[in-house]
Amino acid sequence: MKLLITYLKTERHWRSATGLDQKRFDKLLLLFERAYLDLFSQSIEQRQDDCPEQPCLNTYTALLFFTLFSLKSGLTYDLLDLVTGMNGSSAKRNQDLGLAVLQETLSVSGYAPKRNFRSSEEFQSYFQKHKPLIVDATEQRTQRPQASAYQELMYSGKNNPIQSRP
């Protein structure tokens, strides 16, 4: 991998590349390793012995770093290829693997948000025990109204600023 964790020399580098400082990364790494073992019942080294090719990410540290970097940077798989030296399909596979382990890590440690509720009562009881829920719905899509009078009322004017001028 071209991108190495050893390049991260300052806390600013750590935060810009992973979203975490080094201390938090190291704590997450311990949980990440346990979650990997729970998910696959094998260490990363044992699983890679079965691979026909030489793996790009051969340690827990490299996998976690790559996963966090790919999420933080928002690069396409082709650009991850350019930055890391692995091809686009390997970048996708490795990101999917890292995300699965990270999701397991956060779920087991109690940091993952609950995403599914069986009923509205379960949803309400869950959030009575937790901090207030804030939903940012400013950019929600909406069905365009068919009635022209209602359509005018709902029009924000953002799409064509020239028409909204007096």
Side-chain angles (χ1 to χ4, degrees):
M1 187 163 96
K2 291 180 189 176
L3 180 67
L4 300 173
I5 201 164
T6 55
Y7 294 161
L8 305 180
K9 306 258 187 241
T10 66
E11 290 302 313
R12 184 179 177 127
H13 289 158
W14 277 95
R15 284 193 192 102
S16 64
T18 66
L20 302 171
D21 57 29
Q22 186 175 3
K23 184 178 173 183
R24 288 191 174 126
F25 181 89
D26 291 339
K27 285 181 181 178
L28 181 60
L29 182 59
L30 295 173
L31 298 171
F32 188 82
E33 187 173 339
R34 277 189 243 143
Y36 190 99
L37 292 169
D38 289 346
L39 269 178
F40 300 109
S41 303
Q42 292 180 316
S43 70
I44 198 168
E45 295 84 10
Q46 291 169 328
R47 282 194 71 218
Q48 290 177 352
D49 286 341
D50 300 335
C51 291
E53 299 174 11
Q54 176 64 27
C56 300
L57 305 173
N58 53 6
T59 64
Y60 299 108
T61 304
L63 180 59
L64 179 59
F65 175 58
F66 172 77
T67 303
L68 294 176
F69 177 80
S70 67
L71 292 172
K72 180 79 164 114
S73 66
L75 297 174
T76 64
Y77 297 116
D78 291 331
L79 286 174
L80 282 172
D81 167 7
L82 185 67
V83 172
T84 62
M86 65 179 82
N87 63 38
S89 62
S90 293
K92 167 83 169 107
R93 241 186 341 271
N94 285 319
Q95 186 187 51
D96 288 346
L97 172 65
L99 286 173
V101 177
L102 189 57
Q103 178 64 41
E104 178 70 13
T105 302
L106 297 175
S107 295
V108 168
S109 60
Y111 292 111
K114 183 168 172 107
R115 294 178 182 261
N116 298 318
F117 299 93
R118 290 188 296 269
S119 66
S120 61
E121 291 79 23
E122 182 184 0
F123 176 84
Q124 289 173 347
S125 68
Y126 179 81
F127 282 102
Q128 284 178 350
K129 302 174 203 166
H130 293 81
K131 295 178 182 179
L133 174 67
I134 299 171
V135 177
D136 179 7
T138 56
E139 295 295 327
Q140 293 292 326
R141 288 181 173 240
T142 182
Q143 182 70 34
R144 183 177 179 185
Q146 295 301 314
S148 60
Y150 188 58
Q151 211 177 76
E152 271 187 46
L153 193 71
M154 297 303 291
Y155 180 67
S156 68
K158 289 185 178 182
N159 292 338
N160 195 348
I162 295 171
Q163 285 184 352
S164 63
R165 292 182 187 157

